[in-house]
Structure formats: C-alpha cells, structure tokens
Amino acid sequence: MEDSDAALQQLLESCRITSDDYQWADILQTLWVGCSYIYERKGAEADLDAAIQQFQESIRLMPDDHPQRAGRLQSLGLRYQQRYQRKGTEVDLDAAIQLYLESIRLLPDDHPQRAYYFQSLGTGYEDRYIRKGIEADLDVAIQQFQESIRLTPDDHPQRAGRLQSLGIGYGERYRRKGAEADLDVAIQQFQESIRLTPDDHPERAGRLQSLGVRYGERYQRKGTKADLDVSIQQILESIRLTPDDHPQRAGRLQSLGTGYRDRYRRKGIEADLDAAIQLYLESIRLTPDDHPERANRLSSLGVGYQERYRRKGTEADLDAAIQQFQESIRLTPDDHPKRAEILQSLGTGYADRYQRKGTEADLDAAIQQFQESIRLTPDDHPERAGRLQSLGLGYQERYQIKGIEADLDAAIQQFQESIRLTLDDHLERAYYFESLGSGYEDRYRRKGTEADLDVAIQLILESIRLTPDDHPQRAGRLQSLGIRYGERYRRKGAEADLDASIQQFQESIRLTPDDHPKRAGQLHSLGIGYSYTYRRKGAEVDPDTSIQQILVSIRLTPDDHPQRAGRLQSLGLRYQQRYQRKGTEADLDVAIQQHIESIRLTSDNHPERARRLQSLGFGYQERYRRKGTEADLDAAIQQFQESLDHHTSDTLNRLRSGVLLTRLHAEAEDWLLAYRTASTTVSLIALLTTRSLETSDRQNLLTEVTGLASDAAAIALMVVKSPYEAMQLLELGRGIIAASLNELRADIFDLQHKHPQLADDYISLRDQLDAPTAMTHQSDKLDLPAEVTRRVDQRHNVGQKLEQMIGDIRRLPGFERFLLAPTENELKAAAASGPVVVINVSGYRCDALIIEKRGLQALRLPDLDSKDVRARAATLEKPEQQLMEWLWDTIAKPVLDALGLIQAPSGSWPRIWWIPTGPLTKFPLHAAGDLCRGSCNTVLDRVISSYSSSIRALIQSQQRRSRVKVAPEVNKAVLLGMEMTPDQNHLRHVPEEIAKLSRLCRSMQLDITIPSTRQDDVLSALRDCTIFHFAGHGHTDPSDPSKSSLILSDGKLTVASLFELNLHNRTPFLAYLSACGTGEIKHDNLTDEALHLITACQLAGFRHVIGTLWKVNDQSCVEAAAMTYEWMKRGNMSDDSVAEGLHQASRHLRSQWNSESAARTSKRMAADRAEGGPPAMEQPRSSQATTRDPRTAELYEDPPLYWVPYVHFGI
C-alpha cells in the first residue's frame, strides 16, 4: 500500500509540469485508476470522490470522437455506481446508468470490450431494481447479463464474473417472483463461475458468498438440510478469503449469520443462534453509519435478538430486537423495496411484546405495521404470503383479547390467502396450516360449530405431517393437536380422543428443553388433560397429578405474562375438582384465591372475563352451601351478575352464569331479581344458536339451557306478569331448532310483493343456508385446504349475511316484526279453530297457559309437580291405566273445566291443541281420563286433540295453509311397507296395512306409488307426493335425537335428513308414520326441542303428521290407519278430517280395549271364585304385579293401552 501511495504522489507531480491536454487526460486517467484501487482496498470515501473528480476532468478534456472516450465514460459510470453502493444516493445510480448507455452507444459492435460494458449496464439496472423494485429494470439487467455472456468466449478470464452477475440477476428475480427455476439457474451460474475462478482470485470470495446465499434461499424454500449445510460452508470459505478490512466483509458476515440463524431454526441448537447474533453485531460494527446496507443488517440483528427472546424469554432481547427494527426503518427510505420486510419484522416484535406483557397498544402497533407492510408488497411477491400470515396472527390476537368476531373472520381470511399463495412444497406451508387451524379452533370455541373443530384438527395434522421429526416447532404443533383432541373429547366424549390428547402433550413436553419459555404452556395443557382423565376414570387416576402440572406451569410463567390469569383459573378449577371429590375445605379456599388472582390479572374487556367470574362465583356458591355464610352467597351473586353482564365475553359463558344466578335468586325467593335475570338469560339463547349452526351444533349448545325457558315463564307468573309475557319467554327458549328451520322456510309473500329485489336476495341466502351440508365430521383425511375450509366457511359467511339482511328488512316500514316471536293478537288468532294450551312444567310452579280467541289466561295446576312428572316419565315404556287417571286429575280436567268443555259434545266436536313442555312432552295428554268411571271423564270423550311443538310452529303451519295449496295436478300417495327389515322383528301385518290403504287411496283419486325401500328412492318419491305412509320400524336415538330414524333396507331415514327435505313450495297433505316411537325423545336435555320424526316431517313441509309416542302393536296399526284414512275419505281430505279420523280411530281402539279388559275382569273373578277365595277387588295394575299367581298370571294382565300412543301434529 505504501508503494501505491508513492506512485500517486509521482503522478500528481507530473500533472503539475504537464501542459498538453491529451497527455493531461491520460495522466488523470492513471490517477483515477490509482484512487479507485485504494478505495476498493480501503473503502475510504475520499478516495472514491477523488477518483470521480479525476475522471470527470479527464473526460472534459477529451474530444467527443476520441477512441478512448467510451472506456472512460464506462469507468466513470462504475465509480458513480460504487458511490451509490456506498452512500445510497439515487442520482449517482442514475448517472451511472446514463454513462453506461452512452459508452455502449459509442462502442463499435465488434469491440472486444462490448461484453464488459453490457455487464456493467446490467449491474446498474440491477441496483436500481434493488433500490426501487421496478421489475422492468430487473428484466433489462438479466438481458444485459445474457448478452454479455453471449459475447464472452468460453475461455475468457472475465467469463466467471459475468456468470456471477447473471446468477445474481436470476437470484433477485427468484426473490421477487418466487419461481424455483430462477433459483436453480442462479445456483448453476454461480457454480460455473466458481469453477472458472482460480483459487487465489480476489473475486472468488464474493462468488462463494453469492453461491452460499442462494443455497440458503433454496433451503428456506424447500427445507433440505443439505442445502443449508452447503450454504454455510460456502460463506465460511468466502469469509476466510476476505481480508479483515475489506469493505465486503460486513456483508459476508451478515450472510453467515443468516445461515447460522436458519440452522438454529431447523435444529434448535442455541450455540448457532448466539453465533448468528455475534456475526450480525460484527457486521454492523464494520458498516459505516451512512451505508445503505446498514438498515438491512440492523434488521437481521433484530431478528436474531427476537429469536433468542422466543427461546429464552429474556425481555432485554425483545427490547433490543424492537430497537434494531425501529432504527432499521428510520434508515430505510419510504419507497425502498426492503421497507415492507422491515415493517413486518417490527410488527412481529410488537406482537411478541404484546404476548409477553399484554399491552394492547403493542398489538395495535403490530397490526398497523403488518397492514403497511402488505400495502407495500406487490400482489405477486413471494413474501406476500408470510406478511398476510403475520397480519392474520395480529387480528387473531386482537380477537382473543376483545372478542370482536370481525377480527377472527379477518384472521382466517388472511391465513387462507397466505396458504393460497404458497406452493405445496414450501417450507413455511406447515406454519401456515398451523395458524389457519388455530383460527378455526377459536371460531369453534366461539360458535360451537363442530365442523370448525374437525377442520382445525385436519389442518394441524397436515402441519405436523409437513414438519420434520427434529424440527424445533414440532413440539408446539403437537401441543396444538393435543388441545384440539381435548376439545373434541369434551364435545363428543370419545375416550380415544382424550388418550390421544394426553399423548400429544407428553410428546410435546419430551421434545421441549426444560428452560424453553413455551414449556409452561405445554405443562398447563397436560395438567388439564389429566384432569379430564380424572373426571372420566375417577379413583383410577390421582387428581394431584393435574394440580402438580399446572403448579409447575404457573411457576414458570412470569408474573406479568398475559397467560398467567388463565393458568391460575385452571389451577382453581382443579382444586375445586379435588374438593368435590374429597370434601377438603382447604382445597375450596385455595380455589377461590386462585380465581380472585386470575380475575385481578384479567382486563375488564377481556373475552374470558365472564368465564373467570363464573368460576369464582361457583367457588363462592360451593362454600356458601358448605358453611352457610351469607357473605359467600352475596359474593357468588355478584360474580354471576358481572359475568352475565359482560358483553364482550362469549354468549355461552354469560348464559351459564345467568342460569346459576337465576337459581340463586329463586332459592332466596327474590322473585323480582330472579325474573330480571331469567329474562336476560333467555334473550341470550338467540345469540347462542345463530342461523349458521347446523342441527347437531345447536343440539349440543341447547343442552346447556334445559328447562330455562320453563323456569323463566314460571318465575314471570310468580311476579304476576301477564300470560303473554310468560308465553314469550317460552317461545324464545323452546323449540329453537325447529323455529330456526321454520324461519328459513317462512312465507315472505308480503316482502316479495313490496320489495321484490330484497326478497330475491333474501331467498338466495336462505336457500344457501337451507341446503343440505356435505361436510363429513371427524375425518382426518385432508383434501385441498380450500375445499376443506370452503364447506364450513360458506355456511358461516352466508349466516352472517342473512342476519344482516334480516336486520335491514326489519328497518323497513311494516316489517318491524319480520321473523320475530308472535304478538298477542297473533296468538289469539292461532286459536281461531280451538284453544291452544301450553302446559308449563317447572320446579317453581306448573301452569296451563291457555290461548283462546277472546284472550289469554294462566291456570295454575297445583297438583302437578315437576318431580312427579320426571319420575313417571321413567316408566313410560309400559304405560298403565293409572297414568291416564293422573294426567286427567292434574292437567286435563282442570284445563277442560276452565274452557267449559265439561261434557261430551252433542254436535260437532271441539278441537284443542296441546303444547306440553319439558318431560311432559313424552305424555299422552289426549288419552288422559278416568277409564273406569264413565266415558265423559276423558279427553277423548270431550275434545279432538292435536299437538304442536310450539305456538310459532302452529302459527306458521296455519299461515302456510292460507297461501300454499296442494298442487291439483299431483295427487300421489307414497306407500312404503317394511314387513322385513334387517336386524328387526318381522311385522306380519304390514302387507295387510298397505293393501287396505292402497284401496282407500285409490278411492280418493290418489295415484299409488310404492318405491323401493332404499333411502334415495324414498326421498325422491317424497318430493311430489300428497300423502306419505310408512309402515315399519322406527328407531329413537337416545343420545342424538337428530339421528332418530325410519329404518329402511339400506340404512336409516333420519330426522336430520328429513330436516333437509324442503317441500314447502307444495306443502304435501299428510305424513303417516305407522312405526314405533316416531314422536319419542329419549334425550332428557332436549325434550323441549321436539326433535323427532313427527316434527321433522312437519319441518319438511307436511301439513299433517300422525305418529306414535312409543312402541305400538302391529295389528293395531292396521286398524288405526284404515279408520283414519276412511274418515279422511268421508271428509274429502279436509284439514279437520285428519285429526277427526285419528280421534275416531283412537276411540274405536279404546272401545275394543274396554271390551277386552272387561272380559279379562270377568275371567279373573270367575277364577277367584273357583279357587274359593273372595272376589278380586279392582286395583291399579301396579299393585297387583307382586301378588299374582304365576299359573294364572295371564288372566290378571290387562291388555296393553295400544290405543294411546297415536298422536296428530298439524292444523
């Protein structure tokens, strides 16, 4: 270097004694070359500025047509480009490109330096692309490089450098467009460039770095470990060849740091991460403050600190990361292509700080950075997917603290778009699947849609499949899978899901280092899993195991961590669980303290606050029941009230608190507060069971509110509210599923007449929501993500749009009550053909709510007790005469007397519609009576009875009748008889039943269709029928009423499948279900939903449905059906003829029963006299069972009440 400085001094001396311009220009060129060399070696700006000045003067002194002018313009352009690369001044870069262009213009086509000039021009365009992001510049750069290589002989010493330039161009295009072919070409160019470069060549280091960086990018793209290893090897060799004071050393150190960082992410070795941070620090130390690459290197250092924070949880690392990102952005021009990347990094820093400290301002700042990053990212940029993913995570975090559903929807949309933009074999695809699954998991927890949970499980399974066994993120993904299996266990109760959940948690912990910050969450998850095992298996599992895991989890959780509150709540619940098991008072006290601390750490608007308040309230309630301390009762009431009133929490937890609070107020006989609480709680049911939910999801949620509406109605009457208010509460809280389906199919004639376009839009959305769902639950096979999510998203999105549209319709004049509960006048109109009687059963009181044309009344039923109803419901498999007498004394007689129906009619028969509630829905009110004391003391002898599941259902049926008529051109009776059914008893009277009905239907001018006994054929036949008659076996599902069914030869025609059958445009006349238990519900928590085959046929569109409450006699079915159809024929198939026909059939069958019963009584008495004993006294059948002589038992058996089970639903 000293020799070079001396040579420059001699040149300057020669300049002073030289006067000739040409000679002076040559000397200046020589001087410039020297200054350039010293700059390239030392990086001193003054040397570069001096070089530019010398060349500018040299060119000024040179004639325009001088043969050396092109070369000197080219050389000056190179120095302008060097100064741009050093200072980032755009005018220098633009000047360089103009000089390159001019030099090429002056150069003859066959000049040997033309290839070099094209290469220089290409680097100029490439730098301008990197600065401004204009794709056209990059394409021009690649074209120049290609032309340069074309002009360069294979053995030319500069070919290696030109191949390197072309490789850099392809590498940049890969970064911009993500085309893997570009990256492969780039690597090939670098490999060939290095092959042609001597080991001691000064450019070898730079070419090794370029090759190493591209191998690193291919690793990031495909995850192949060999690529990462090669990348690090190439860059290490590059640095070994680079002098300590070389200006490119900083960039090469940064590249090596990135390689070590990627290896840490892949293998989890902390030493790699520490090495990466040290390399970034050294890189920045060597980078001048005003260097254009300083911002990028600061950002890399920030990423390193952020990774170390995530590994060790040290806040100082997180703060340092954010500082680096902030400084990086300060140094980055607004229009720089790298700005979007740095904004994303800063956003992740803020997001991490929010997750650590819970400060909402950090989360808002994170979302803002992500939004701006995406705004600056072109739609086809390969990094767009990752930035959308980051934004989605921000929205999801905000949803989790504020409970705003729009944030969750936005998060899911971002995740879906990020997957759509990501190629199938991309390394990050596993991460995107994981995030999308977490979005669906959150939506499941909010809405209870089982399909969301199934999709969440499918997505995390796919994420794990794409995650290598030794990947550091595998543990977290296994934990996520365990959480989702646990959710499915709680939903469906399958022990295999619980076992799988715990296995995933255990494996997740096995893969996680003891000091990893995520270990606390994994231990918490395992503790919860053990608690569910304890609940299921009881004494087989030690409850302390669960508590121990959660205690360790809390010990590892910092005091100000946002997850601490949830973990304290979990610990409190586990202590409560142990208290309930062992009765140790200290456990209950500890539980309450944990809940208090959990709530203290929970923000006022946090969506989990209601659940935590509820847990604390339940703890106080248990302690009150244990000790009787009024202060505990007051505290419990306060917690439940706050929980109920917490509007940002999910509806289900608020509703649960409302149910508990209602009971506490009622126990204290504070009826006014009980009424206010119950009314508020019932109003939440509509929010809980949104229209987008499927029937199975609604069933699951509605088990939470069993009996709530009946209790609320009873409490309303306790505070002397009107019968109408009590009925409103019942309508809001009962028959929710049927009401929702009826609303979807409700008549909208007025809307179509006054607002046809809005009506068309409404019908379009309604039909989409009413369409059969194709989703198959609990399938772990993953289709294309878009197809999997489309099936669940469509229903969710359409449901939201429909809710919005219904709100819009209600704002129109005259449509304020569109699809709302009926008004008092509408209730009275529903009783135009006869009174409607709602029998409300509650533990607080029982009443008959009677609707007549002239008004409404509430009749208290003092002899009816809810406990007695439930006890008798358990014996309904074999009903006895005494049951009918009890129904008469407690319900039917008081109601009929109040209505003035005190004797048998002399003319036309009056009609009555019964709407029983709760467990009373299982009872035959129409058959109530004192069968031994004269014919007038029975319902059958005073009125014709029909049933309805709710008042709304009856009103909607009446409205459809007034507008929709049976199509006159179609008169078809579908008769389906199943004499032989797989795995069922032989029904030998079925052929007789079908034969009789065929003759009767033909005589009514009905065409007879007898379809095959396959599901598809039956459903097809129903679509244009007038009458559907089924004679065969029915099945009542005890756990899922929607799976109750008519049994066919190839499977089951279920309630759910009938729900999907929409015949409302035609409204067929009658469905007659001559099978066992077609109106039966065995799920005690869903009796108010009336989910049985009868209501399913009503919802499908049948005006009338006849079915049975329990098992029926094969031969009796023939007689009942034949007599009903005969009466319908006499009545010309009028609406009244159906109920009248069944009424007459039931009376006939009862008469036969009375005759058989009398004959058996005579035989019993004769047998007793023959044995010398006293005449047998008539006793209730239940009292005779234990004393009957086995030899003559058949004489004492009364015939079964085979006339009782048949019921009519309809108008």
Side-chain angles (χ1 to χ4, degrees):
M1 291 297 294
E2 292 177 359
D3 291 342
S4 299
D5 292 341
L8 282 174
Q9 290 301 322
Q10 291 177 2
L11 280 170
L12 289 169
E13 182 63 22
S14 70
C15 290
R16 283 195 294 272
I17 62 175
T18 303
S19 57
D20 181 81
D21 284 347
Y22 292 133
Q23 188 179 5
W24 175 239
D26 291 340
I27 293 171
L28 286 171
Q29 180 185 11
T30 305
L31 180 61
W32 168 82
V33 170
C35 292
S36 298
Y37 171 75
I38 294 173
Y39 166 73
E40 290 173 355
R41 185 63 187 81
K42 292 187 170 184
E45 285 183 44
D47 290 327
L48 182 56
D49 291 339
I52 290 172
Q53 289 171 4
Q54 306 307 324
F55 250 87
Q56 285 173 330
E57 183 64 13
S58 170
I59 292 169
R60 187 185 68 78
L61 297 174
M62 181 175 286
D64 292 345
D65 59 350
H66 193 284
Q68 296 298 320
R69 185 176 182 84
R72 294 181 187 177
L73 288 169
Q74 158 78 3
S75 297
L76 179 58
L78 287 171
R79 267 60 219 170
Y80 272 122
Q81 188 174 4
Q82 281 183 320
R83 191 161 72 180
Y84 160 75
Q85 291 168 344
R86 175 63 183 78
K87 292 188 164 186
T89 308
E90 284 186 50
V91 293
D92 282 338
L93 181 57
D94 291 337
I97 291 172
Q98 290 304 313
L99 289 164
Y100 293 148
L101 287 167
E102 179 64 10
S103 68
I104 289 173
R105 188 186 68 79
L106 296 175
L107 203 67
D109 291 346
D110 60 349
H111 196 283
Q113 289 297 314
R114 194 170 179 84
Y116 173 50
Y117 289 10
F118 276 120
Q119 179 188 11
S120 298
L121 179 58
T123 61
Y125 279 118
E126 182 179 64
D127 277 352
R128 193 163 71 181
Y129 160 74
I130 292 171
R131 175 62 184 82
K132 294 190 168 184
I134 300 170
E135 284 187 52
D137 281 340
L138 181 56
D139 292 337
V140 171
I142 291 173
Q143 291 169 2
Q144 307 307 311
F145 295 145
Q146 289 170 331
E147 180 65 9
S148 172
I149 292 171
R150 187 186 68 80
L151 296 173
T152 304
D154 291 346
D155 58 351
H156 195 283
Q158 296 301 321
R159 186 172 180 85
R162 292 163 194 171
L163 288 167
Q164 178 189 16
S165 296
L166 181 59
I168 291 171
Y170 277 117
E172 290 294 340
R173 193 161 71 183
Y174 163 74
R175 289 176 178 173
R176 174 62 183 81
K177 295 192 170 183
E180 197 176 332
D182 281 337
L183 182 56
D184 292 338
V185 171
I187 290 173
Q188 291 168 3
Q189 305 304 313
F190 292 136
Q191 288 171 329
E192 180 64 9
S193 171
I194 292 169
R195 187 185 69 81
L196 297 174
T197 303
D199 291 346
D200 58 350
H201 195 283
E203 292 298 319
R204 186 174 180 85
R207 292 165 190 169
L208 288 167
Q209 179 196 11
S210 295
L211 179 60
V213 167
R214 269 59 197 190
Y215 271 119
E217 288 177 344
R218 193 162 72 181
Y219 162 75
Q220 291 168 352
R221 171 68 180 74
K222 303 186 105 177
T224 306
K225 284 195 288 184
D227 282 337
L228 181 57
D229 293 338
V230 171
S231 171
I232 292 173
Q233 290 167 1
Q234 302 301 313
I235 299 171
L236 278 169
E237 179 64 8
S238 169
I239 292 171
R240 188 185 67 80
L241 297 174
T242 304
D244 291 347
D245 60 348
H246 195 284
Q248 296 302 321
R249 187 174 180 86
R252 292 165 192 170
L253 291 169
Q254 179 192 13
S255 296
L256 182 58
T258 300
Y260 281 127
R261 183 200 69 194
D262 284 346
R263 194 165 70 183
Y264 160 74
R265 287 177 174 172
R266 179 63 182 79
K267 295 188 173 183
I269 300 170
E270 285 186 50
D272 281 337
L273 181 55
D274 292 337
I277 291 172
Q278 290 304 313
L279 289 163
Y280 291 144
L281 285 167
E282 180 64 9
S283 171
I284 292 167
R285 187 187 69 79
L286 296 175
T287 303
D289 291 346
D290 60 348
H291 195 285
E293 284 298 307
R294 187 173 180 87
N296 184 35
R297 292 165 191 169
L298 288 166
S299 178
S300 294
L301 177 60
V303 171
Y305 280 130
Q306 186 177 33
E307 291 284 357
R308 194 163 68 184
Y309 160 74
R310 290 175 176 174
R311 174 60 184 82
K312 296 190 169 184
T314 307
E315 284 187 51
D317 280 335
L318 180 56
D319 292 338
I322 292 173
Q323 290 169 3
Q324 306 308 313
F325 296 143
Q326 289 171 330
E327 178 65 7
S328 176
I329 286 175
R330 188 186 69 79
L331 295 175
T332 304
D334 290 346
D335 61 345
H336 197 285
K338 283 276 186 182
R339 188 173 180 87
E341 178 184 338
I342 301 168
L343 285 167
Q344 180 191 14
S345 296
L346 178 59
T348 61
Y350 283 129
D352 280 349
R353 194 162 68 184
Y354 159 73
Q355 290 171 350
R356 176 62 184 78
K357 296 191 168 184
T359 307
E360 286 186 36
D362 280 334
L363 181 56
D364 292 337
I367 291 173
Q368 290 170 2
Q369 307 306 315
F370 295 144
Q371 289 171 330
E372 179 64 9
S373 172
I374 290 169
R375 187 186 69 79
L376 296 174
T377 304
D379 291 346
D380 62 345
H381 196 285
E383 293 300 318
R384 187 173 179 87
R387 291 164 196 170
L388 289 166
Q389 158 81 1
S390 295
L391 179 60
L393 291 171
Y395 282 131
Q396 186 178 23
E397 291 280 4
R398 193 164 68 184
Y399 161 74
Q400 289 170 348
I401 62 165
K402 294 189 172 181
I404 300 170
E405 194 173 341
D407 279 336
L408 180 56
D409 291 339
I412 290 173
Q413 289 168 4
Q414 307 306 313
F415 296 148
Q416 288 173 333
E417 181 65 7
S418 70
I419 290 175
R420 188 187 69 79
L421 295 175
T422 305
L423 297 175
D424 290 348
D425 61 347
H426 197 285
L427 183 63
E428 291 296 294
R429 195 168 174 86
Y431 177 40
Y432 300 163
F433 275 123
E434 177 187 18
S435 298
L436 180 59
S438 70
Y440 281 106
E441 181 184 14
D442 279 348
R443 196 166 75 184
Y444 165 74
R445 288 176 175 170
R446 181 179 183 92
K447 297 240 178 184
T449 306
E450 190 181 336
D452 282 336
L453 179 58
D454 290 335
V455 169
I457 291 173
Q458 290 172 353
L459 289 166
I460 193 62
L461 282 168
E462 179 67 2
S463 174
I464 292 169
R465 186 186 70 80
L466 296 173
T467 304
D469 291 345
D470 61 347
H471 196 284
Q473 296 303 319
R474 187 173 180 87
R477 290 166 192 167
L478 290 169
Q479 180 192 9
S480 295
L481 178 59
I483 290 170
R484 289 167 206 176
Y485 277 134
E487 292 282 1
R488 194 162 71 184
Y489 164 73
R490 289 190 284 277
R491 172 66 182 261
K492 305 187 103 174
E495 193 171 338
D497 279 334
L498 179 57
D499 293 340
S501 173
I502 291 173
Q503 288 169 4
Q504 306 308 313
F505 295 146
Q506 290 170 331
E507 179 65 6
S508 171
I509 291 170
R510 188 186 69 80
L511 296 175
T512 303
D514 291 346
D515 62 345
H516 198 287
K518 289 195 174 181
R519 190 173 179 87
Q522 292 162 357
L523 289 167
H524 175 247
S525 296
L526 180 60
I528 292 174
Y530 281 140
S531 75
Y532 282 105
T533 302
Y534 170 67
R535 285 185 190 177
R536 185 172 185 98
K537 299 184 178 180
E540 296 179 29
V541 181
D542 183 1
D544 295 342
T545 305
S546 171
I547 291 174
Q548 290 165 0
Q549 299 298 322
I550 298 175
L551 279 170
V552 175
S553 169
I554 291 170
R555 182 178 62 78
L556 296 175
T557 304
D559 291 346
D560 59 349
H561 196 285
Q563 297 300 322
R564 188 174 180 88
R567 291 166 191 170
L568 287 166
Q569 181 197 14
S570 295
L571 181 61
L573 290 171
R574 263 71 261 172
Y575 275 116
Q576 277 179 265
Q577 187 181 46
R578 193 166 71 179
Y579 163 75
Q580 291 163 353
R581 176 74 175 177
K582 297 186 173 183
T584 307
E585 197 174 320
D587 281 339
L588 185 55
D589 293 336
V590 171
I592 290 172
Q593 289 304 312
Q594 303 305 314
H595 292 317
I596 290 172
E597 180 64 7
S598 171
I599 291 168
R600 186 186 70 79
L601 296 174
T602 303
S603 63
D604 290 343
N605 64 345
H606 197 286
E608 286 293 303
R609 189 171 178 86
R611 190 163 73 93
R612 292 167 190 170
L613 287 163
Q614 179 193 131
S615 297
L616 177 58
F618 194 70
Y620 279 128
Q621 178 179 295
E622 289 207 273
R623 194 162 70 181
Y624 164 71
R625 298 196 189 287
R626 167 90 179 218
K627 293 185 167 185
T629 308
E630 290 293 324
D632 283 333
L633 177 59
D634 293 341
I637 289 172
Q638 180 184 349
Q639 307 310 314
F640 291 144
Q641 186 68 59
E642 285 187 39
S643 176
L644 175 61
D645 294 338
H646 197 257
H647 295 283
T648 56
S649 287
D650 68 273
T651 303
L652 182 57
N653 280 307
R654 294 177 61 202
L655 194 146
R656 285 170 174 162
S657 294
V659 170
L660 293 167
L661 183 58
T662 298
R663 291 173 185 166
L664 284 181
H665 285 317
E667 286 176 22
E669 297 188 354
D670 191 337
W671 297 113
L672 185 57
L673 281 177
Y675 169 71
R676 291 172 181 168
T677 303
S679 298
T680 301
T681 307
V682 168
S683 70
L684 294 175
I685 294 176
L687 299 177
L688 182 70
T689 55
T690 58
R691 287 178 173 83
S692 63
L693 291 176
E694 296 182 29
T695 298
S696 60
D697 298 320
R698 290 181 185 152
Q699 282 184 181
N700 180 66
L701 291 168
L702 288 169
T703 58
E704 299 279 349
V705 295
T706 303
L708 172 61
S710 289
D711 286 345
I715 292 169
L717 295 173
M718 293 292 287
V719 294
V720 201
K721 295 296 178 180
S722 69
Y724 175 63
E725 289 176 269
M727 291 179 191
Q728 275 191 313
L729 290 167
L730 285 171
E731 290 296 297
L732 287 172
R734 292 184 66 258
I736 304 300
I737 296 172
S740 177
L741 290 168
N742 262 323
E743 285 175 1
L744 286 177
R745 299 165 182 184
D747 178 43
I748 58 167
F749 177 82
D750 291 339
L751 185 67
Q752 289 173 310
H753 178 67
K754 295 180 180 179
H755 304 280
Q757 184 56 56
L758 186 60
D760 288 345
D761 294 342
Y762 172 81
I763 291 170
S764 174
L765 290 174
R766 181 188 71 180
D767 289 349
Q768 290 179 61
L769 204 58
D770 198 27
T773 176
M775 184 66 186
T776 301
H777 295 321
Q778 201 166 329
S779 169
D780 290 340
K781 182 180 183 298
L782 185 73
D783 299 325
L784 293 175
E787 184 64 20
V788 171
T789 59
R790 182 191 63 78
R791 293 191 293 241
V792 294
D793 288 342
Q794 182 180 17
R795 191 170 183 89
H796 173 77
N797 296 334
V798 170
Q800 286 186 322
K801 291 177 183 177
L802 187 63
E803 295 284 357
Q804 178 64 46
M805 181 170 287
I806 290 171
D808 294 340
I809 292 171
R810 287 174 182 164
R811 285 188 282 273
L812 296 172
F815 292 90
E816 294 83 0
R817 296 198 58 77
F818 182 72
L819 299 185
L820 289 178
T823 64
E824 187 168 356
N825 286 334
E826 288 172 330
L827 292 183
K828 289 187 283 187
S833 300
V836 179
V837 182
V838 181
I839 309 298
N840 189 52
V841 177
S842 166
Y844 305 124
R845 59 183 281 170
C846 297
D847 299 87
L849 301 171
I850 301 173
I851 307 170
E852 296 181 272
K853 288 186 291 185
R854 64 176 181 269
L856 282 57
Q857 63 171 306
L859 174 68
R860 189 155 190 177
L861 301 173
D863 295 329
L864 185 63
D865 179 79
S866 64
K867 292 180 181 177
D868 197 11
V869 174
R870 288 182 174 83
R872 291 176 180 273
T875 65
L876 281 178
E877 284 292 326
K878 200 171 184 182
E880 299 175 344
Q881 180 176 334
Q882 190 267 344
L883 174 67
M884 306 307 145
E885 295 169 358
W886 172 77
L887 288 171
W888 173 257
D889 292 335
T890 58
I891 301 172
K893 185 178 186 303
V895 169
L896 295 181
D897 287 350
L899 291 169
L901 301 170
I902 58 175
Q903 59 186 7
S906 57
S908 61
W909 281 81
R911 295 194 60 185
I912 190 170
W913 278 263
W914 301 101
I915 303 177
T917 68
L920 200 62
T921 56
K922 301 179 179 183
F923 289 80
L925 296 176
H926 67 284
D930 187 352
L931 305 183
C932 298
R933 287 181 251 165
S935 63
C936 189
N937 290 331
T938 67
V939 175
L940 274 177
D941 292 307
R942 296 192 187 183
V943 293
I944 295 174
S945 294
S946 295
Y947 290 84
S948 181
S949 58
S950 69
I951 302 171
R952 274 181 299 183
L954 180 60
I955 290 173
Q956 287 165 344
S957 294
Q958 292 169 340
Q959 289 172 341
R960 281 194 292 270
R961 175 182 62 176
S962 66
R963 293 222 172 104
V964 182
K965 304 297 182 184
V966 177
E969 68 276 10
V970 178
N971 288 286
K972 183 175 83 172
V974 175
L975 307 180
L976 182 62
M978 294 284 296
E979 178 185 3
M980 303 296 295
T981 303
D983 302 320
Q984 301 293 324
N985 294 333
H986 175 211
L987 300 177
R988 60 190 181 88
H989 292 285
V990 164
E992 178 188 358
E993 183 174 342
I994 296 301
K996 285 186 175 182
L997 297 185
S998 295
R999 290 192 294 272
L1000 283 166
C1001 288
R1002 287 192 182 95
S1003 68
M1004 290 187 279
Q1005 308 305 309
L1006 293 169
D1007 295 331
I1008 306 302
T1009 295
I1010 300 180
S1012 79
T1013 56
R1014 299 177 60 81
Q1015 294 179 64
D1016 290 344
D1017 292 336
V1018 173
L1019 288 169
S1020 176
L1022 293 182
R1023 298 189 187 282
D1024 63 348
C1025 73
T1026 304
I1027 290 176
F1028 169 53
H1029 188 97
F1030 176 83
H1033 283 286
H1035 167 71
T1036 303
D1037 192 294
S1039 60
D1040 185 351
S1042 69
K1043 293 179 180 177
S1044 295
S1045 60
L1046 303 175
I1047 306 176
L1048 303 178
S1049 60
D1050 66 337
K1052 296 177 179 180
L1053 186 62
T1054 64
V1055 168
S1057 61
L1058 287 168
F1059 280 169
E1060 295 175 351
L1061 185 66
N1062 188 351
L1063 306 175
H1064 284 254
N1065 289 332
R1066 298 191 60 261
T1067 310
F1069 185 69
L1070 169 66
Y1072 194 122
L1073 308 179
S1074 184
C1076 295
T1078 52
E1080 186 178 23
I1081 298 178
K1082 293 184 178 179
H1083 194 308
D1084 290 340
N1085 288 332
L1086 288 170
T1087 51
D1088 273 330
E1089 286 306 301
L1091 297 177
H1092 45 62
L1093 289 159
I1094 294 176
T1095 53
C1097 287
Q1098 276 196 298
L1099 288 167
F1102 285 94
R1103 294 223 304 265
H1104 301 273
V1105 186
I1106 292 174
T1108 60
L1109 292 178
W1110 50 71
K1111 292 180 181 179
V1112 288
N1113 176 270
D1114 187 14
Q1115 186 172 4
S1116 299
C1117 286
V1118 179
E1119 297 181 58
M1123 290 195 66
T1124 301
Y1125 279 76
E1126 184 65 43
W1127 196 272
M1128 287 164 48
K1129 176 184 175 183
R1130 295 181 194 174
N1132 294 318
M1133 285 180 60
S1134 67
D1135 283 312
D1136 289 339
S1137 70
V1138 182
E1140 290 172 357
L1142 182 63
H1143 177 75
Q1144 294 300 328
S1146 297
R1147 282 167 56 85
H1148 173 75
L1149 290 173
R1150 185 191 62 177
S1151 178
Q1152 287 183 338
W1153 178 86
N1154 281 331
S1155 298
E1156 292 176 16
S1157 184
R1160 287 182 181 240
T1161 300
S1162 298
K1163 288 182 179 180
R1164 285 200 298 268
M1165 295 178 70
D1168 288 336
R1169 284 194 296 270
E1171 293 177 6
M1177 300 295 294
E1178 290 191 18
Q1179 305 176 50
R1181 181 173 162 229
S1182 59
S1183 67
Q1184 300 172 355
T1186 59
T1187 60
R1188 189 166 303 141
D1189 186 327
R1191 291 174 298 173
T1192 57
E1194 62 180 18
L1195 297 178
Y1196 290 85
E1197 288 285 351
D1198 286 329
L1201 303 175
Y1202 49 76
W1203 53 275
V1204 171
Y1206 302 97
V1207 290
H1208 168 258
F1209 277 65
I1211 54 179

